[in-house]
Amino acid sequence: MKKQFIYLWLVAAFLLTVARAFTQPIDPWKLSVTKPDPSGYFGITVANGMIGLVSAPAPFTVKEVVLAGAYDQYGRGRVSNFLRSFNLLNCALEIDGKLMDNREVSNFTQTLDMKAGAFTASFDYADKARVVYSYYALRHLPYTVLMDIDIQPKKNISVRVASIMEAPDALRDVQNYYNEIDRPHVVLSLLTSSAKSPAGKLLLCASNTFLFEEKHGHEPRVIHEMWDNNRHLMKFSKELKANETYRFAIAGSSITSAHHDDPLNEAERLTIYARLEGRERLLKFHAQAWNELWKSDILIEGDAQAQQDIHSMLYHLYSFAREGTAFSPSPMGLSGLGYNGHVFWDTELWMFPALLTLQPAIAKSLVEYRFQRLEAARRNAFSKGFRGAMFPWESADSGVEETPVWALSGPFEHHITACVAIAAWNYYCVTQDKNWLRNKGYPILSETADFWASRVERAGPGQYNINNVVAADEWAENVDNNAFTNAAAKANLRFATEAAKLLGLSPNPDWALVASNIPILKFPDGVTREHASYQGKGIKQADVNLLSYPLKEITDPLLIRKDLEYYEQRVPDQGTPAMTQAVFTTLYARLGDRNKALHWFRDSYLPNLNPPFRVIAETKGGTNPYFATGAGGVLQSVLMGFGGLEITPNGIVQLKSVLPAHWKKLTITGVGPDKKTFVVQQ
């Protein structure tokens, strides 16, 4: 009955999409809403890989600000948690001495321009003015944001604008500052706050300033006002004439002691830098950075809604990570505090391949995150009685195990270690960077291979068992010889051997011996068995099917289809994460079955979308967006499924694949270090 309901839902969604296509064009780059409903509103994120701004359904309001790498131990689970940072872009507007009342707001529209990395809102206020504002997480300045505001008076009015700095409730020992720096060519007004994280581990700081277009000496006078310990503001007043647009901006910076040794002074320095760069230069360099990213794109002809949705997924992955860091995105990226901001296999197996294919420099940051925590992984292996390096199931800033103790995945979901190693190997395969392989990739590969060689229980030829694990299908706890864990371990061992040979080193011969003796279990009819005690129960998420892609453990098309047809019947319609259906899509596309590939493509994300910006939740009907893991899986289904791209030891190649019947053409641009273009046509 559930499956019939989901099928009917998908048909209805498809018909609605078709009907919409005939009534209004679907913009491939813009997501818009008019009169956002606060009761059914799921914000969308503007981010630059370091700082994330989450939208709210009210004018001049940002719901929350999230900063990559800012963790402290507090709240649920006795583990490190992502922290909300200072909200530094909220504003208050008075017109003719009266604070703006949202009940008098009309024609309120919000639009995310994914190509420009800009969130724009506009509204009419009574009969007095039209207001348009846009905010940006500046792509070229990792800790800096900008809000650009136009007030268009319909009659002569007086306005008072306040920029509000607000500390989240979880922070403590808040200190508020206001400084004016007077120079012959400029006056800088700095609204600044600092606070300690809940357990005192971090110092969080933020600062902002107004950017006026008036010449020096004619700017509005700025006044500071203290409300309470957690909130203060600066404001200015201005007389405006009818039909003469008044423009100003607010630039701000947020940084913590996890990012800089002197975050308080640095926050003000960064804000001063933005102020003296000026609005035009800030927007120019921001646009250039996003234009560069979008040289690597996915273009779909024949399905306008899929094109918009794929752009949204790619936009979010680009927004949640950046080049030149050692940070790695959590399942919800910078869209909030979901999963405590921890890093799982979601990064390496689901998000990383799409980023590696289209943005190798960003993907490098994700592997650097693991490399810098290799010593913590060594200590983790040692504490469990193993050799080498064992990466934690949930990781935060230090690289120690951060899984709450009630979750058995912490001590037992060991396949994460192989996922990290496979990502490192794939980074080398795409970039062919032997210096990186020698200095960073091989240490990861060799240490993780040593872990698996010590982890197996040697019971004879073909019986080097990996017992007592939580499977990739997390409903299978404390089972033996899980299919994905075993196959991923084999890949890890083989890649370490291959890497050693490439570097002119002598691989540990035990790696190849262990790899050749780890079993992959089968049912009598040849279907791959998920684990030693598996009898056909429902599964939480993909496990066995990952042996075909991405692990390439199973390559025979007949066996791939046999496993698909068995396990696709065992995924419940609800309550499971979005990635599984994306794997089915990839495999069916490679098998040439365009109809089943399209079915699973739609099922992989359409039932997970939330209004008003079609943000993806983790599960069908879920309310915890944005699920970057699912987006990574769907992007892989387009890149590696319909697009046929394959990562090999010699780089990226293209396999034979098929498109959905109504897709006319798929073009993938900016692939790999050489920025190649791949095309699939009907």
Side-chain angles (χ1 to χ4, degrees):
M1 190 69 182
K2 284 185 178 180
K3 290 189 176 181
Q4 184 181 18
F5 172 79
I6 292 296
Y7 174 76
L8 292 173
W9 190 97
L10 288 169
V11 170
F14 175 68
L15 292 175
L16 182 63
T17 297
V18 172
R20 181 182 170 191
F22 283 103
T23 57
Q24 64 182 52
I26 297 172
D27 193 308
W29 292 108
K30 292 182 179 179
L31 298 163
S32 298
V33 59
T34 300
K35 297 181 181 178
D37 178 6
S39 66
Y41 186 96
F42 296 84
I44 200 159
T45 307
V46 169
N48 61 11
M50 186 65 71
I51 189 169
L53 309 170
V54 185
S55 71
F60 281 137
T61 305
V62 172
K63 177 186 176 185
E64 60 188 357
V65 179
V66 180
L67 201 60
Y71 297 93
D72 195 14
Q73 189 173 99
Y74 75 104
R76 186 169 177 255
R78 295 202 318 264
V79 295
S80 293
N81 283 251
F82 243 4
L83 298 170
R84 288 185 178 90
S85 188
F86 286 95
N87 202 325
L88 70 171
L89 283 186
N90 286 348
C91 293
L93 175 64
E94 294 180 23
I95 298 181
D96 293 335
K98 181 182 177 183
L99 185 65
M100 192 178 78
D101 184 342
N102 287 344
R103 290 173 295 184
E104 295 191 62
V105 168
S106 61
N107 302 318
F108 185 33
T109 300
Q110 295 179 324
T111 299
L112 173 71
D113 185 335
M114 297 178 283
K115 192 169 188 179
F119 183 89
T120 299
S122 61
F123 60 90
D124 292 303
Y125 185 68
D127 61 346
K128 296 180 181 294
R130 179 163 180 77
V131 179
V132 180
Y133 64 91
S134 300
Y135 60 75
Y136 312 80
L138 295 171
R139 187 72 203 193
H140 64 298
L141 298 177
Y143 304 102
T144 304
V145 298
L146 179 74
M147 180 179 279
D148 200 24
I149 303 166
D150 285 359
I151 302 176
Q152 303 163 7
K154 298 177 181 180
K155 57 176 66 173
N156 293 347
I157 58 174
S158 63
V159 298
R160 178 175 291 169
V161 180
S163 173
I164 303 167
M165 181 77 70
E166 189 168 10
D169 291 339
L171 303 186
R172 62 181 181 86
D173 299 338
V174 179
Q175 300 292 320
N176 297 318
Y177 310 89
Y178 178 73
N179 297 309
E180 283 194 358
I181 300 174
D182 194 351
R183 291 290 185 269
H185 64 297
V186 67
V187 173
L188 294 130
S189 303
L190 294 173
L191 186 71
T192 303
S193 290
S194 69
K196 291 181 181 179
S197 58
K201 177 182 177 182
L202 295 181
L203 182 65
L204 294 88
C205 304
S207 180
N208 71 14
T209 190
F210 288 119
L211 282 71
F212 296 117
E213 293 197 334
E214 292 92 338
K215 291 182 179 180
H216 179 51
H218 298 275
E219 312 99 322
R221 179 172 172 243
V222 177
I223 298 172
H224 178 244
E225 189 173 291
M226 185 74 72
W227 284 8
D228 56 44
N229 284 343
N230 286 356
R231 187 170 181 167
H232 65 137
L233 59 83
M234 59 182 179
K235 59 186 180 182
F236 70 91
S237 299
K238 187 78 176 180
E239 300 292 325
L240 305 182
K241 294 183 179 180
N243 303 316
E244 292 184 7
T245 298
Y246 181 68
R247 170 176 288 171
F248 66 99
I250 299 168
S253 301
S254 183
I255 194 167
T256 80
S257 54
H259 309 93
H260 194 277
D261 290 339
D262 182 11
L264 178 58
N265 286 325
E266 187 65 9
E268 293 194 337
R269 292 187 191 103
L270 292 171
T271 299
I272 292 169
Y273 181 84
R275 167 68 177 84
L276 294 179
E277 277 284 270
R279 173 186 172 276
E280 297 295 333
R281 285 172 60 82
L282 293 174
L283 292 178
K284 172 187 172 182
F285 294 133
H286 171 80
Q288 287 177 354
W290 270 106
N291 287 340
E292 188 64 30
L293 286 174
W294 285 118
K295 288 179 180 178
S296 298
D297 196 5
I298 298 171
L299 305 172
I300 300 168
E301 294 183 25
D303 192 334
Q305 187 59 71
Q307 175 67 89
Q308 185 191 67
D309 292 337
I310 290 299
H311 270 160
S312 179
M313 296 176 205
L314 199 52
Y315 159 82
H316 280 90
L317 257 62
Y318 286 177
S319 295
F320 291 162
R322 66 182 292 123
E323 179 180 353
T325 75
F327 293 120
S328 192
S330 77
M332 273 52 183
L334 295 173
S335 70
L337 310 187
Y339 284 106
N340 299 332
H342 291 174
V343 181
F344 299 70
W345 76 317
D346 300 56
T347 301
E348 281 78 19
L349 203 79
W350 302 103
M351 294 182 246
F352 181 80
L355 287 171
L356 177 60
T357 301
L358 297 174
Q359 300 289 347
I362 293 179
K364 186 178 184 180
S365 294
L366 278 55
V367 189
E368 181 67 20
Y369 170 85
R370 296 296 189 180
F371 174 75
Q372 291 194 11
R373 290 154 182 82
L374 186 57
E375 178 55 38
R378 291 189 189 103
R379 295 195 300 269
N380 192 30
F382 177 78
S383 72
K384 306 299 187 300
F386 303 123
R387 298 194 305 272
M390 175 186 173
F391 283 92
W393 177 241
E394 297 187 33
S395 181
D397 55 343
S398 68
V400 303
E401 181 61 72
E402 296 277 7
T403 305
V405 294
W406 49 261
L408 301 185
S409 48
F412 295 106
E413 198 155 354
H414 296 171
H415 66 78
I416 178 65
T417 294
C419 294
V420 171
I422 292 166
W425 173 248
N426 283 339
Y427 179 78
Y428 165 74
C429 290
V430 169
T431 64
Q432 300 291 300
D433 186 343
K434 279 193 177 179
N435 285 332
W436 179 89
L437 181 64
R438 183 181 301 277
N439 295 321
K440 295 187 176 182
Y442 187 68
I444 293 173
L445 286 160
S446 61
E447 295 272 8
T448 52
D450 284 343
F451 164 75
W452 290 114
S454 69
R455 177 66 177 82
V456 297
E457 298 175 27
R458 307 185 190 209
Q463 297 181 59
Y464 282 27
N465 302 312
I466 303 177
N467 294 328
N468 200 20
V469 298
V470 171
D473 164 21
E474 290 177 319
W475 288 346
E477 296 181 328
N478 300 101
V479 298
D480 297 339
N481 286 326
N482 166 240
F484 179 76
T485 303
N486 285 20
K490 292 176 70 172
N492 187 165
L493 290 157
R494 288 168 178 162
F495 294 157
T497 298
E498 208 166 330
K501 292 176 181 177
L502 279 169
L503 296 171
L505 304 173
S506 297
N508 184 341
D510 195 41
W511 296 343
L513 173 67
V514 173
S516 65
N517 283 287
I518 294 176
I520 303 296
L521 305 182
K522 299 283 185 179
F523 285 117
D525 63 357
V527 170
T528 305
R529 191 175 188 180
E530 188 183 87
H531 54 80
S533 53
Y534 182 71
Q535 299 294 341
K537 290 183 178 180
I539 62 174
K540 178 183 177 183
Q541 58 202 51
D543 191 305
V544 164
N545 303 106
L546 295 170
L547 275 63
S548 305
Y549 173 85
L551 295 183
K552 307 174 198 175
E553 174 72 23
I554 297 174
T555 57
D556 184 331
L558 293 176
L559 295 179
I560 293 172
R561 184 176 286 274
K562 184 183 283 283
D563 284 346
L564 272 170
E565 291 175 347
Y566 182 85
Y567 284 100
E568 71 182 358
Q569 300 298 319
R570 283 158 176 79
V571 181
D573 291 324
Q574 294 182 329
T576 63
M579 310 92 75
T580 302
Q581 294 86 345
V583 175
F584 296 163
T585 304
T586 300
L587 294 174
Y588 274 122
R590 289 182 166 197
L591 290 173
D593 191 332
R594 70 177 77 244
N595 293 328
K596 278 210 166 184
L598 176 61
H599 165 77
W600 288 115
F601 173 72
R602 289 174 174 158
D603 194 54
S604 68
Y605 78 94
L606 287 178
N608 301 61
L609 298 179
N610 278 295
F613 298 107
R614 299 175 69 85
V615 293
I616 302 176
E618 183 174 7
T619 59
K620 296 174 182 178
T623 56
N624 61 339
Y626 187 89
F627 191 47
T629 309
V634 176
L635 288 170
Q636 286 186 68
S637 75
V638 176
L639 293 167
M640 284 74 172
F642 298 131
L645 300 187
E646 179 84 330
I647 296 172
T648 76
N650 298 312
I652 296 174
V653 301
Q654 190 173 30
L655 307 177
K656 186 177 180 180
S657 191
V658 295
L659 298 178
H662 64 293
W663 288 20
K664 298 176 182 178
K665 185 179 180 181
L666 174 65
T667 304
I668 305 168
T669 65
V671 174
D674 298 328
K675 300 298 179 184
K676 295 179 180 179
T677 296
F678 292 89
V679 178
V680 182
Q681 288 184 280
Q682 294 287 12

